[in-house]
Protein backbone atom coordinates (compact mmCIF):
# COMPACT_ATOMS: atom_id res chain seq x y z
CA UNK A 1 0.00 0.00 0.00
CA UNK A 2 1.24 3.47 -0.93
CA UNK A 3 1.89 5.95 1.91
CA UNK A 4 0.74 9.08 0.09
CA UNK A 5 -0.65 9.25 -3.45
CA UNK A 6 -1.13 12.54 -5.26
CA UNK A 7 -3.07 11.90 -8.45
CA UNK A 8 -3.56 14.55 -11.11
CA UNK A 9 -3.72 17.41 -8.62
CA UNK A 10 -4.18 20.90 -10.05
CA UNK A 11 -4.70 24.17 -8.22
CA UNK A 12 -5.72 27.64 -9.30
CA UNK A 13 -6.13 30.72 -7.17
CA UNK A 14 -8.68 32.72 -9.14
CA UNK A 15 -7.38 32.82 -12.69
CA UNK A 16 -3.79 31.99 -11.65
CA UNK A 17 -2.84 28.36 -12.10
CA UNK A 18 -0.17 27.51 -9.52
CA UNK A 19 -0.19 23.70 -9.90
CA UNK A 20 -0.53 22.06 -13.30
CA UNK A 21 -1.39 18.35 -13.16
CA UNK A 22 0.83 16.93 -10.46
CA UNK A 23 1.15 13.24 -9.59
CA UNK A 24 3.45 11.73 -7.00
CA UNK A 25 3.58 8.68 -4.75
CA UNK A 26 5.38 8.29 -1.45
CA UNK A 27 6.00 4.71 -0.36
CA UNK A 28 5.58 3.70 3.29
CA UNK A 29 8.66 4.72 5.25
CA UNK A 30 9.99 6.84 2.41
CA UNK A 31 11.50 10.34 2.75
CA UNK A 32 10.51 12.48 -0.23
CA UNK A 33 11.47 16.11 -0.77
CA UNK A 34 9.66 18.68 -2.87
CA UNK A 35 12.33 21.09 -4.03
CA UNK A 36 12.29 24.03 -6.41
CA UNK A 37 12.71 27.77 -6.63
CA UNK A 38 10.52 30.20 -4.74
CA UNK A 39 6.95 30.32 -6.03
CA UNK A 40 7.05 26.96 -7.89
CA UNK A 41 4.13 25.58 -5.86
CA UNK A 42 5.83 23.39 -3.22
CA UNK A 43 3.97 24.80 -0.25
CA UNK A 44 0.67 24.74 -2.11
CA UNK A 45 1.13 21.04 -2.90
CA UNK A 46 2.09 20.34 0.72
CA UNK A 47 -0.95 22.23 2.01
CA UNK A 48 -3.18 20.21 -0.30
CA UNK A 49 -1.67 16.95 1.05
CA UNK A 50 -2.20 18.26 4.58
CA UNK A 51 -5.82 19.18 3.92
CA UNK A 52 -5.27 22.90 4.55
CA UNK A 53 -6.10 23.68 0.92
CA UNK A 54 -8.54 22.02 -1.47
CA UNK A 55 -7.26 21.00 -4.91
CA UNK A 56 -9.05 22.36 -7.98
CA UNK A 57 -8.65 18.92 -9.56
CA UNK A 58 -7.33 15.48 -8.64
CA UNK A 59 -7.18 13.22 -5.58
CA UNK A 60 -5.07 12.72 -2.46
CA UNK A 61 -4.87 9.31 -0.76
CA UNK A 62 -3.13 8.49 2.49
CA UNK A 63 -2.47 4.83 3.36
CA UNK A 64 -4.84 3.78 0.60
CA UNK A 65 -7.74 5.98 1.80
CA UNK A 66 -9.05 8.79 -0.39
CA UNK A 67 -8.80 11.85 1.86
CA UNK A 68 -9.45 14.53 -0.77
CA UNK A 69 -12.58 15.84 0.96
CA UNK A 70 -11.44 15.07 4.50
CA UNK A 71 -10.34 17.85 6.85
CA UNK A 72 -6.75 18.17 8.03
CA UNK A 73 -7.41 16.98 11.58
CA UNK A 74 -8.74 13.64 10.31
CA UNK A 75 -5.94 12.84 7.86
CA UNK A 76 -3.43 11.25 10.25
CA UNK A 77 -0.71 13.72 9.26
CA UNK A 78 1.53 15.83 11.50
CA UNK A 79 3.08 19.06 10.30
CA UNK A 80 6.29 20.85 11.18
CA UNK A 81 6.79 24.39 9.95
CA UNK A 82 9.62 26.87 9.72
CA UNK A 83 8.22 29.09 12.48
CA UNK A 84 7.86 26.15 14.95
CA UNK A 85 4.28 27.22 15.90
CA UNK A 86 4.85 26.54 19.62
CA UNK A 87 2.59 27.96 22.34
CA UNK A 88 4.75 30.70 23.91
CA UNK A 89 2.98 30.68 27.30
CA UNK A 90 3.30 26.90 27.80
CA UNK A 91 6.36 25.01 28.99
CA UNK A 92 8.10 22.52 26.70
CA UNK A 93 6.45 19.66 28.62
CA UNK A 94 3.04 21.23 28.05
CA UNK A 95 3.76 22.01 24.39
CA UNK A 96 4.66 18.37 23.80
CA UNK A 97 1.59 17.16 25.68
CA UNK A 98 -0.95 19.28 23.77
CA UNK A 99 -1.57 16.87 20.85
CA UNK A 100 -2.16 13.97 23.27
CA UNK A 101 -4.35 16.02 25.62
CA UNK A 102 -6.53 17.03 22.71
CA UNK A 103 -6.84 13.48 21.48
CA UNK A 104 -7.21 11.54 24.71
CA UNK A 105 -9.12 13.85 27.06
CA UNK A 106 -12.66 15.16 26.66
CA UNK A 107 -13.32 18.89 26.98
CA UNK A 108 -14.51 18.30 30.57
CA UNK A 109 -11.45 16.24 31.45
CA UNK A 110 -9.19 19.01 30.15
CA UNK A 111 -10.55 21.52 32.68
CA UNK A 112 -7.88 22.73 35.14
CA UNK A 113 -7.41 20.66 38.31
CA UNK A 114 -9.51 17.72 37.02
CA UNK A 115 -6.51 15.50 37.59
CA UNK A 116 -6.74 16.19 41.32
CA UNK A 117 -10.30 15.00 41.66
CA UNK A 118 -10.62 12.25 39.09
CA UNK A 119 -8.37 9.17 39.22
CA UNK A 120 -9.01 8.27 35.55
CA UNK A 121 -7.95 11.74 34.44
CA UNK A 122 -4.93 11.60 36.77
CA UNK A 123 -3.81 8.32 35.17
CA UNK A 124 -4.25 9.70 31.66
CA UNK A 125 -2.26 12.81 32.56
CA UNK A 126 0.52 10.71 34.03
CA UNK A 127 0.75 8.57 30.87
CA UNK A 128 0.83 11.68 28.68
CA UNK A 129 3.51 13.26 30.80
CA UNK A 130 5.75 10.21 30.61
CA UNK A 131 5.27 9.98 26.82
CA UNK A 132 6.20 13.65 26.54
CA UNK A 133 9.32 13.00 28.61
CA UNK A 134 10.28 9.95 26.51
CA UNK A 135 9.82 11.92 23.28
CA UNK A 136 11.88 14.80 24.65
CA UNK A 137 14.62 12.37 25.68
CA UNK A 138 14.77 10.94 22.15
CA UNK A 139 15.30 14.47 20.85
CA UNK A 140 17.88 15.40 23.48
CA UNK A 141 15.70 18.08 25.10
CA UNK A 142 14.56 16.04 28.09
CA UNK A 143 16.31 18.41 30.50
CA UNK A 144 14.43 21.48 29.19
CA UNK A 145 10.88 20.43 30.01
CA UNK A 146 10.16 23.28 32.42
CA UNK A 147 11.40 26.06 30.14
CA UNK A 148 9.24 28.23 27.90
CA UNK A 149 9.97 28.37 24.13
CA UNK A 150 11.51 31.86 24.46
CA UNK A 151 14.18 30.36 26.74
CA UNK A 152 15.37 27.91 24.05
CA UNK A 153 17.72 28.22 21.08
CA UNK A 154 16.36 27.90 17.54
CA UNK A 155 17.60 24.32 17.24
CA UNK A 156 16.00 23.35 20.54
CA UNK A 157 12.71 24.96 19.52
CA UNK A 158 12.73 23.05 16.28
CA UNK A 159 13.28 19.83 18.25
CA UNK A 160 10.20 20.64 20.33
CA UNK A 161 8.21 21.18 17.13
CA UNK A 162 9.46 17.81 15.83
CA UNK A 163 8.61 16.22 19.16
CA UNK A 164 5.08 17.55 18.99
CA UNK A 165 4.73 15.92 15.59
CA UNK A 166 6.21 12.50 16.44
CA UNK A 167 4.34 12.15 19.73
CA UNK A 168 1.15 11.63 17.70
CA UNK A 169 2.58 8.67 15.74
CA UNK A 170 1.09 9.95 12.48
CA UNK A 171 1.08 8.05 9.21
CA UNK A 172 2.72 10.99 7.42
CA UNK A 173 5.03 13.83 8.46
CA UNK A 174 4.76 17.00 6.44
CA UNK A 175 7.64 19.41 6.94
CA UNK A 176 7.74 22.83 5.31
CA UNK A 177 11.21 24.42 5.36
CA UNK A 178 11.66 23.35 9.00
CA UNK A 179 15.32 24.37 9.13
CA UNK A 180 15.28 27.74 7.43
CA UNK A 181 15.33 29.75 10.67
CA UNK A 182 18.48 28.03 11.91
CA UNK A 183 22.09 29.03 11.34
CA UNK A 184 24.14 27.08 8.79
CA UNK A 185 25.89 24.74 11.24
CA UNK A 186 22.68 23.91 13.10
CA UNK A 187 20.90 23.27 9.79
CA UNK A 188 23.45 20.66 8.82
CA UNK A 189 23.22 19.00 12.24
CA UNK A 190 19.42 18.97 12.20
CA UNK A 191 19.37 17.40 8.71
CA UNK A 192 21.01 14.30 10.13
CA UNK A 193 18.76 14.31 13.17
CA UNK A 194 15.56 14.59 11.13
CA UNK A 195 16.59 11.72 8.85
CA UNK A 196 17.55 9.57 11.86
CA UNK A 197 14.21 10.39 13.48
CA UNK A 198 12.36 9.59 10.28
CA UNK A 199 14.05 6.15 10.09
CA UNK A 200 13.37 5.46 13.73
CA UNK A 201 9.69 6.39 13.54
CA UNK A 202 9.14 4.60 10.22
CA UNK A 203 6.37 6.90 8.93
CA UNK A 204 6.61 8.58 5.54
CA UNK A 205 7.88 12.12 5.31
CA UNK A 206 7.20 14.80 2.73
CA UNK A 207 9.73 17.59 3.12
CA UNK A 208 9.52 20.97 1.38
CA UNK A 209 12.69 22.94 0.80
CA UNK A 210 14.15 25.39 -1.70
CA UNK A 211 17.64 24.17 -0.74
CA UNK A 212 18.77 21.53 -3.23
CA UNK A 213 21.59 20.27 -1.04
CA UNK A 214 19.14 19.66 1.81
CA UNK A 215 16.83 17.73 -0.51
CA UNK A 216 19.67 15.74 -2.07
CA UNK A 217 21.34 14.75 1.21
CA UNK A 218 18.19 13.87 3.17
CA UNK A 219 15.83 12.17 0.76
CA UNK A 220 15.17 8.73 -0.65
CA UNK A 221 13.57 10.48 -3.63
CA UNK A 222 13.38 14.09 -4.73
CA UNK A 223 10.65 15.81 -6.76
CA UNK A 224 12.09 18.83 -8.56
CA UNK A 225 9.31 21.35 -9.15
CA UNK A 226 9.21 24.38 -11.42
CA UNK A 227 6.31 26.53 -12.53
CA UNK A 228 3.71 24.32 -10.87
CA UNK A 229 4.99 21.09 -12.38
CA UNK A 230 7.16 18.19 -11.25
CA UNK A 231 9.98 18.13 -13.81
CA UNK A 232 11.59 15.01 -12.39
CA UNK A 233 10.93 12.61 -9.53
CA UNK A 234 13.77 10.24 -8.71
CA UNK A 235 16.59 9.27 -6.37
CA UNK A 236 19.19 11.97 -5.65
CA UNK A 237 21.65 10.00 -7.83
CA UNK A 238 19.20 9.94 -10.75
CA UNK A 239 18.50 13.63 -10.46
CA UNK A 240 22.20 14.47 -10.29
CA UNK A 241 23.63 12.14 -12.91
CA UNK A 242 20.67 11.79 -15.30
CA UNK A 243 18.59 14.97 -15.10
CA UNK A 244 15.68 14.81 -17.53
CA UNK A 245 15.76 18.52 -18.24
CA UNK A 246 18.36 21.26 -18.37
CA UNK A 247 16.47 23.19 -15.67
CA UNK A 248 16.82 20.21 -13.31
CA UNK A 249 20.51 19.84 -14.18
CA UNK A 250 21.07 23.52 -13.40
CA UNK A 251 19.07 23.46 -10.17
CA UNK A 252 21.01 20.65 -8.45
CA UNK A 253 24.71 20.68 -7.70
CA UNK A 254 26.95 23.40 -6.42
CA UNK A 255 28.68 25.05 -8.20
CA UNK A 256 26.12 24.88 -10.98
CA UNK A 257 26.66 22.57 -13.95
CA UNK A 258 28.52 24.17 -16.88
CA UNK A 259 26.40 24.61 -20.00
CA UNK A 260 28.26 25.20 -23.26
CA UNK A 261 26.85 25.74 -26.71
CA UNK A 262 27.72 22.86 -29.02
CA UNK A 263 26.88 21.50 -32.48
CA UNK A 264 26.38 18.02 -33.84
CA UNK A 265 28.28 17.82 -37.12
CA UNK A 266 27.21 15.82 -40.17
CA UNK A 267 28.94 12.71 -38.84
CA UNK A 268 26.98 12.91 -35.59
CA UNK A 269 29.96 14.06 -33.49
CA UNK A 270 29.24 16.71 -30.92
CA UNK A 271 31.70 19.59 -31.17
CA UNK A 272 32.27 22.16 -28.48
CA UNK A 273 34.06 25.18 -29.89
CA UNK A 274 34.99 23.15 -32.96
CA UNK A 275 36.65 20.41 -30.87
CA UNK A 276 35.26 16.90 -30.78
CA UNK A 277 33.76 16.27 -27.34
CA UNK A 278 33.80 12.48 -27.52
CA UNK A 279 30.00 12.33 -27.59
CA UNK A 280 27.81 11.39 -30.53
CA UNK A 281 24.32 12.75 -30.82
CA UNK A 282 21.31 11.65 -32.89
CA UNK A 283 20.02 15.25 -33.07
CA UNK A 284 21.68 17.43 -35.74
CA UNK A 285 22.56 21.09 -35.26
CA UNK A 286 22.73 23.12 -32.07
CA UNK A 287 22.67 21.30 -28.71
CA UNK A 288 23.71 22.17 -25.16
CA UNK A 289 26.72 20.34 -23.77
CA UNK A 290 26.63 20.22 -19.97
CA UNK A 291 29.34 19.05 -17.62
CA UNK A 292 29.66 19.31 -13.85
CA UNK A 293 32.70 21.11 -12.42
CA UNK A 294 34.12 17.90 -10.94
CA UNK A 295 33.97 16.16 -14.35
CA UNK A 296 36.48 18.56 -15.91
CA UNK A 297 40.21 17.94 -15.75
CA UNK A 298 43.38 19.47 -17.11
CA UNK A 299 44.26 17.65 -20.33
CA UNK A 300 46.26 18.72 -23.36
CA UNK A 301 43.44 17.69 -25.76
CA UNK A 302 40.83 19.69 -23.94
CA UNK A 303 39.06 22.95 -24.72
CA UNK A 304 41.09 26.10 -24.49
CA UNK A 305 40.13 28.44 -21.67
CA UNK A 306 41.55 31.50 -19.98
CA UNK A 307 41.67 31.15 -16.21
CA UNK A 308 40.08 34.07 -14.39
CA UNK A 309 40.14 33.12 -10.75
CA UNK A 310 41.31 30.21 -8.60
CA UNK A 311 39.68 29.50 -5.26
CA UNK A 312 41.52 27.24 -2.84
CA UNK A 313 38.94 25.13 -0.94
CA UNK A 314 41.32 23.00 1.11
CA UNK A 315 40.42 19.68 -0.52
CA UNK A 316 40.14 21.02 -4.08
CA UNK A 317 40.52 24.08 -6.29
CA UNK A 318 37.59 25.88 -7.86
CA UNK A 319 38.79 27.33 -11.12
CA UNK A 320 36.70 30.01 -12.84
CA UNK A 321 37.52 30.40 -16.50
CA UNK A 322 36.13 31.48 -19.88
CA UNK A 323 36.29 29.48 -23.09
CA UNK A 324 38.56 30.95 -25.75
CA UNK A 325 36.20 30.03 -28.58
CA UNK A 326 32.93 31.43 -27.26
CA UNK A 327 33.76 33.41 -24.13
CA UNK A 328 31.46 31.12 -22.15
CA UNK A 329 31.83 30.74 -18.40
CA UNK A 330 33.30 27.48 -17.08
CA UNK A 331 33.90 26.38 -13.51
CA UNK A 332 36.12 23.37 -12.83
CA UNK A 333 36.79 21.59 -9.56
CA UNK A 334 40.37 20.36 -9.77
CA UNK A 335 42.71 18.58 -7.36
CA UNK A 336 44.95 20.91 -5.34
CA UNK A 337 47.95 19.27 -7.01
CA UNK A 338 46.94 21.17 -10.18
CA UNK A 339 47.60 24.47 -8.47
CA UNK A 340 50.70 25.34 -10.50
CA UNK A 341 48.84 24.60 -13.77
CA UNK A 342 46.10 27.20 -13.31
CA UNK A 343 47.18 30.81 -13.03
CA UNK A 344 44.73 33.71 -13.32
CA UNK A 345 45.10 35.39 -16.72
CA UNK A 346 46.83 32.33 -18.23
CA UNK A 347 45.46 29.75 -20.71
CA UNK A 348 44.61 26.22 -19.67
CA UNK A 349 43.12 23.21 -21.40
CA UNK A 350 40.12 21.49 -19.81
CA UNK A 351 38.69 18.16 -20.87
CA UNK A 352 35.15 17.03 -20.03
CA UNK A 353 34.77 13.37 -19.08
CA UNK A 354 32.68 11.97 -21.97
CA UNK A 355 31.16 9.36 -19.66
CA UNK A 356 29.72 12.07 -17.43
CA UNK A 357 28.91 14.93 -19.83
CA UNK A 358 25.25 15.46 -20.77
CA UNK A 359 23.50 16.70 -23.89
CA UNK A 360 20.29 18.70 -24.03
CA UNK A 361 18.18 19.63 -27.04
CA UNK A 362 16.78 23.04 -27.89
CA UNK A 363 13.63 22.18 -25.88
CA UNK A 364 15.77 21.58 -22.77
CA UNK A 365 15.14 17.81 -22.69
CA UNK A 366 18.12 15.54 -22.22
CA UNK A 367 19.33 13.61 -25.27
CA UNK A 368 20.76 10.18 -24.59
CA UNK A 369 23.96 9.66 -26.63
CA UNK A 370 24.77 6.15 -27.85
CA UNK A 371 26.61 4.31 -25.03
CA UNK A 372 28.99 2.65 -27.49
CA UNK A 373 30.02 6.07 -28.75
CA UNK A 374 30.76 7.19 -25.21
CA UNK A 375 32.91 4.14 -24.55
CA UNK A 376 34.76 4.51 -27.82
CA UNK A 377 35.41 8.13 -27.05
CA UNK A 378 36.77 7.25 -23.66
CA UNK A 379 39.09 4.58 -24.99
P1 LIG B 1 8.33 29.54 -1.48
O1 LIG B 1 9.56 28.66 -1.51
O2 LIG B 1 8.64 30.97 -1.78
O3 LIG B 1 7.50 29.34 -0.27
P2 LIG B 1 6.61 27.79 -3.00
O4 LIG B 1 7.26 26.98 -4.07
O5 LIG B 1 6.29 27.10 -1.74
O6 LIG B 1 7.44 29.09 -2.75
P3 LIG B 1 3.81 28.45 -3.11
O7 LIG B 1 3.81 29.10 -1.77
O8 LIG B 1 3.18 27.13 -3.22
O9 LIG B 1 5.29 28.38 -3.67
O10 LIG B 1 3.16 29.45 -4.15
C1 LIG B 1 3.00 29.13 -5.53
C2 LIG B 1 2.36 30.30 -6.23
O11 LIG B 1 1.01 30.43 -5.79
C3 LIG B 1 3.02 31.64 -5.94
O12 LIG B 1 3.06 32.38 -7.13
C4 LIG B 1 2.11 32.27 -4.93
O13 LIG B 1 2.13 33.69 -5.05
C5 LIG B 1 0.75 31.72 -5.31
N1 LIG B 1 -0.15 31.59 -4.15
C6 LIG B 1 0.05 30.83 -3.06
N2 LIG B 1 -0.99 30.91 -2.20
C7 LIG B 1 -1.87 31.77 -2.77
C8 LIG B 1 -3.18 32.27 -2.40
N3 LIG B 1 -3.75 31.90 -1.24
N4 LIG B 1 -3.76 33.11 -3.24
C9 LIG B 1 -3.21 33.46 -4.42
N5 LIG B 1 -2.01 33.02 -4.83
C10 LIG B 1 -1.34 32.18 -4.03
Amino acid sequence: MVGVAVEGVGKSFGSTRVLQTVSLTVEPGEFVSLVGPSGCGKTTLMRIIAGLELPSAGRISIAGRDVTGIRAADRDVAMVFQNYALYPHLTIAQNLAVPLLMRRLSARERLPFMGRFDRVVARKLEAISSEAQATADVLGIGHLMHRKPSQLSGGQRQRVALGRAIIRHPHVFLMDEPLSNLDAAMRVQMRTEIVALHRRVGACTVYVTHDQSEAMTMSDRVAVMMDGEILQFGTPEDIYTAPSDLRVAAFVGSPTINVLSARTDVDGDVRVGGMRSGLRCPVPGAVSFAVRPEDLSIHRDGMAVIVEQVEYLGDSLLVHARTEHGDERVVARLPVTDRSRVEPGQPASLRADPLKALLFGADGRRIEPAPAARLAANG
Side-chain angles (χ1 to χ4, degrees), residues 13 18 37-45 53 177 208 210:
F13 290 109
V18 298
S38 182
C40 70
K42 312 178 287 290
T43 296
T44 303
L45 179 55
E53 201 81 69
E177 304 259 8
V208 165
H210 65 275

Side-chain angles (χ1 to χ4, degrees), residues 26-334:
V26 185
E27 302 298 331
E30 200 179 19
F31 194 115
V32 164
S33 289
L34 308 178
V35 68
S38 182
C40 70
K42 312 178 287 290
T43 296
T44 303
L45 179 55
M46 171 89 125
R47 288 173 58 82
I48 290 173
I49 298 172
L52 299 173
E53 201 81 69
L54 271 176
S56 313
R59 289 176 3 127
I60 303 289
S61 312
I62 292 177
R65 180 170 71 121
D66 185 343
V67 295
T68 316
I70 291 179
R71 64 193 188 115
D74 299 326
R75 286 195 181 192
D76 200 12
V77 299
M79 285 168 277
V80 182
F81 297 104
Q82 167 182 351
N83 58 9
Y84 319 129
L86 302 178
Y87 298 106
H89 57 291
L90 299 183
T91 63
I92 302 317
Q94 290 165 330
N95 263 285
L96 287 172
V98 165
L100 300 185
L101 291 171
M102 300 306 285
R103 188 181 289 183
R104 295 188 194 163
L105 270 60
S106 66
R108 190 189 72 87
E109 288 174 331
R110 287 200 299 268
L111 289 173
F113 310 117
M114 279 301 283
R116 287 200 197 157
F117 310 117
D118 185 325
R119 288 231 309 279
V120 176
V121 175
R123 268 206 300 278
K124 285 187 186 177
L125 289 174
E126 220 169 275
I128 288 172
S129 155
S130 65
E131 279 176 57
Q133 184 66 52
T135 302
D137 289 341
V138 165
L139 291 159
I141 48 170
H143 57 297
L144 304 172
M145 296 297 262
H146 299 293
R147 294 213 194 152
K148 299 270 176 69
S150 62
Q151 297 167 313
L152 301 186
S153 71
Q156 290 166 336
R157 276 182 231 173
Q158 195 50 276
R159 287 195 184 92
V160 181
L162 287 169
R164 222 175 37 176
I166 61 172
I167 206 167
R168 295 171 43 193
H169 299 289
H171 195 81
V172 183
F173 287 107
L174 300 175
M175 304 192 188
D176 193 350
E177 304 259 8
L179 307 183
S180 49
N181 278 349
L182 304 179
D183 64 41
M186 183 53 77
R187 271 210 302 270
V188 171
Q189 184 186 334
M190 289 295 290
R191 281 182 192 177
T192 326
E193 290 189 23
I194 289 180
V195 173
L197 201 62
H198 160 85
R199 301 259 175 264
R200 181 178 178 134
V201 174
C204 44
T205 300
V206 182
Y207 187 98
V208 165
T209 178
H210 65 275
D211 180 339
Q212 56 90 22
S213 67
E214 214 167 274
M216 298 290 274
T217 51
M218 296 174 77
S219 318
D220 296 312
R221 283 192 295 168
V222 177
V224 182
M225 293 185 68
M226 268 172 224
D227 302 328
E229 272 184 285
I230 295 179
L231 293 185
Q232 189 169 358
F233 183 36
T235 62
E237 292 78 6
D238 271 349
I239 303 264
Y240 193 77
T241 60
S244 59
D245 189 291
L246 190 50
R247 289 174 291 169
V248 174
F251 188 73
V252 296
S254 176
T256 315
I257 195 165
N258 297 294
V259 183
L260 300 168
S261 42
R263 286 199 77 76
T264 312
D265 67 17
V266 284
D267 299 326
D269 290 322
V270 176
R271 290 178 178 270
V272 183
M275 296 256 316
R276 283 173 67 173
S277 65
L279 292 186
R280 286 174 63 79
C281 176
V283 179
V287 290
S288 295
F289 178 90
V291 60
R292 299 211 177 268
E294 66 271 24
D295 298 326
L296 286 166
S297 57
I298 301 258
H299 192 284
R300 66 190 143 74
D301 293 333
M303 60 184 159
V305 299
I306 300 290
V307 174
E308 291 194 323
Q309 195 193 338
V310 180
E311 291 173 47
Y312 174 69
L313 300 182
D315 61 343
S316 59
L317 301 173
L318 218 49
V319 176
H320 300 259
R322 295 197 93 86
T323 60
E324 277 196 343
H325 65 273
D327 200 28
E328 291 180 294
R329 231 181 119 246
V330 180
V331 177
R333 189 187 289 277
L334 302 179

